């Protein structure tokens, strides 16, 4: 079964024109198709939506946005949102909605890892920007504005008019308007672990760069999606030398909630960790190289629904990475049925296979 699935990886990439280089073959690394101008709705539907093929579009797509020139400046957003309270997500290390060591690994029945969500605090926008710019994993505090509830049209409504309300050619091709439009503000310390979304995603970088690792839905098995107990960070004020400092502690949710999540860390911090990851997750590290894509300021990435993506970022001259994304509801068609069947097949590291006892839960992961 493993051999058949590996052949599927290669054939599906070939059909999409993406290629399947080995992880060490950097000279022929797969690239996302690129367009100098936005496509027509028909071309977008035919060449990208229907086959599920990503597309990177040059800054010509957003040159008319006021945000393109205003948001990268040092003070515009701070002035425009000075009296606005926003939701700021706080973690010790910049890894929200990601796996982390279980806080009580020795307890009976405890997993060695858990799925950790950020602590969310409402602060005024200038304070949020200050905390984002001052984020430091060494100090145990990284801030990221990543509220995913249509926040651009909600708490950031004062600047929503600086970008298009929707992407016209995408809306026409998909036959609907976006369900949510979100604003993301962070810096280089925030990293998003591998996950998928049940949305067609138009992702636009306004300041800085976003670095994507992409895998098609057909490569589900390479990510070793397993069940983990949910946890979240809680805040505790500590008095250090007469100054109050915010400290984050991880608490497991009660009653227990289980989250299916990718077990793979594609960017281990040391050769020793790389060797451990490669041993534990050979389907990822021995398979085709992930498709790499950097989205620069002004550029727009179409990411089809159910594509797995891992995201890191680099700040712009203002010290921030700023992005907007448009989530369009996916079509739950025959491709979704095929995906559910594929992920129901259990493939062990030794190549044996069989039917899984149950399908994984349909968690709609939404973190970038």
């Amino acid at each position: 079964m493993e051999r058949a699935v590996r052949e599927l990886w290669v054939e599906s990439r070939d059909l999409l024109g993406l290629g399947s280089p080995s992880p060490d073959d950097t000279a022929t690394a797969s690239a996302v198709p690129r367009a100098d101008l936005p496509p027509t709705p028909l071309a977008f539907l035919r060449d990208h939506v229907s086959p599920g093929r990503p597309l990177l579009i040059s800054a010509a797509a957003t040159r008319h946005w006021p945000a393109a020139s205003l948001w990268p400046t040092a003070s515009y957003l701070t002035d425009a949102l000075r009296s606005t309270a926003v939701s700021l997500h706080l973690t010790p290390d910049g890894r929200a909605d990601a796996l982390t060591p279980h806080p009580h690994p020795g307890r009976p029945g405890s997993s060695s890892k858990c799925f950790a969500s950020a602590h969310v605090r409402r602060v005024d926008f200038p304070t949020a920007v200050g905390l984002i710019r001052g984020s430091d994993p060494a100090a145990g505090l990284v801030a990221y504005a990543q509220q995913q509830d249509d926040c651009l049209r909600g708490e950031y409504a004062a600047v929503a008019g600086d970008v298009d309300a929707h992407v016209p050619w995408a809306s026409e091709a998909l036959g609907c308007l976006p369900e949510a439009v979100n604003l993301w503000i962070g810096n280089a310390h925030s990293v998003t672990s591998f996950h998928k979304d049940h949305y067609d995603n138009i992702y636009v970088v306004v300041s800085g760069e976003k670095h994507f690792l992409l895998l098609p839905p057909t490569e589900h098995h390479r990510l070793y999606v397993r069940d983990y107990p949910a946890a979240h960070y809680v805040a505790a004020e500590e008095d250090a030398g007469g100054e109050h400092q915010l400290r984050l502690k991880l608490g497991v949710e009660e009653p227990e909630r289980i989250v299916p999540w990718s077990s793979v860390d594609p960017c281990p911090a040391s050769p020793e960790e790389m060797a451990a990851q490669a041993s534990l997750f050979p389907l990822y590290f021995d398979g085709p190289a992930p498709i790499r894509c950097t989205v620069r300021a002004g550029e727009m990435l179409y990411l089809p629904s159910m594509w797995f993506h891992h995201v890191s970022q680099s700040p712009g001259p203002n010290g921030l990475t700023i992005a907007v994304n448009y989530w369009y509801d996916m079509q739950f068609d025959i491709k979704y049925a095929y995906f559910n069947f594929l992920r129901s097949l259990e493939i062990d590291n030794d190549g044996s296979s069989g039917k899984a006892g149950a399908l994984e839960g349909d968690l709609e992961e939404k973190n970038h």
Side-chain angles (χ1 to χ4, degrees):
M1 181 63 73
E2 179 181 337
R3 178 180 177 182
V5 171
R6 284 181 177 273
E7 290 175 353
L8 174 64
W9 301 344
V10 174
E11 289 177 357
S12 62
R13 286 200 187 198
D14 285 347
L15 286 170
L16 295 173
L18 297 174
S20 305
S22 70
D24 299 326
D25 190 2
T26 56
T28 57
S30 298
V32 171
R34 184 181 180 90
D36 293 329
L37 296 172
T40 65
L42 178 59
F44 179 58
L45 180 63
R46 179 191 63 216
D47 299 335
H48 298 281
V49 176
S50 294
R53 185 171 178 245
L55 176 66
L56 181 63
I57 304 166
S58 76
T62 61
R63 198 164 289 142
H64 62 288
W65 286 13
S69 59
L70 295 174
W71 289 10
T73 62
S75 62
Y76 171 78
L77 285 175
T78 302
D79 291 341
L81 298 166
R82 184 165 299 279
S83 59
T84 300
V86 300
S87 302
L88 191 64
H89 292 235
L90 304 173
T91 62
D93 55 6
R95 296 176 181 269
D97 293 349
L99 299 185
T100 195
H102 196 289
H104 309 295
R107 290 184 180 177
S110 291
S111 169
S112 63
K113 292 187 177 181
C114 60
F115 174 81
S117 298
H119 171 67
V120 182
R121 176 166 289 199
R122 295 282 289 178
V123 299
D124 62 82
F125 185 77
T127 298
V129 169
L131 288 169
I132 293 168
R133 287 198 172 109
S135 293
D136 183 5
L141 189 65
V142 175
Y144 192 17
Q146 56 156 29
Q147 191 71 6
Q148 299 161 47
D149 58 356
D150 197 27
C151 66
L152 182 59
R153 298 186 293 198
E155 56 191 38
Y156 296 103
V159 296
D162 293 342
V163 305
D164 286 345
H166 65 109
V167 183
W169 45 269
S171 298
E172 183 173 342
L174 295 167
C176 62
L177 294 173
E179 179 179 288
V181 185
N182 298 308
L183 178 63
W184 312 76
I185 304 176
N187 66 8
H189 296 302
S190 292
V191 177
T192 303
S193 59
F194 262 122
H195 68 287
K196 70 181 190 312
D197 299 316
H198 290 164
Y199 291 97
D200 283 303
N201 192 355
I202 304 288
Y203 205 90
V204 186
V205 174
V206 182
S207 176
E209 297 179 347
K210 293 273 187 173
H211 312 290
F212 287 79
L213 298 178
L214 305 176
L215 291 179
T218 45
E219 297 180 29
H220 160 82
H221 290 99
R222 299 184 62 195
L223 293 177
Y224 295 82
V225 177
R226 294 171 178 165
D227 289 343
Y228 294 94
H232 63 272
Y233 290 104
V234 295
E237 300 287 348
E238 293 184 357
D239 192 344
E243 294 184 3
H244 288 285
Q245 295 184 352
L246 182 66
R247 289 289 182 264
L248 298 174
K249 297 181 179 179
L250 188 63
V252 178
E253 294 185 13
E254 296 289 349
E256 184 179 63
R257 180 171 66 93
I258 298 299
V259 177
W261 204 256
S262 170
S263 305
V264 175
D265 178 0
C267 306
S270 69
E272 294 77 16
E273 291 181 25
M274 172 63 82
Q277 287 278 314
S279 175
L280 288 169
F281 311 119
L283 294 179
Y284 179 83
F285 289 94
D286 292 344
I291 299 157
R292 296 179 180 270
C293 176
T294 291
V295 185
R296 297 177 173 83
E299 294 181 337
M300 181 179 288
L301 173 66
Y302 166 62
L303 187 60
S305 58
M306 297 194 298
W307 270 66
F308 293 96
H309 46 294
H310 175 282
V311 192
S312 57
Q313 51 194 14
S314 304
N318 59 358
L320 302 172
T321 308
I322 305 174
V324 172
N325 88 293
Y326 300 83
W327 266 325
Y328 288 85
D329 271 338
M330 68 173 279
Q331 296 295 318
F332 287 85
D333 54 15
I334 192 64
K335 288 187 291 186
Y336 179 69
Y338 290 153
F339 174 76
N340 273 344
F341 172 74
L342 176 65
R343 70 179 186 172
S344 75
L345 302 176
E346 186 175 286
I347 299 179
D348 297 326
N349 288 351
D350 62 2
S352 62
S353 63
K355 272 285 190 178
L359 294 180
E360 297 157 1
D362 274 339
L363 176 71
E364 291 189 359
E365 308 93 340
K366 306 173 185 175
N367 185 30
H368 296 281

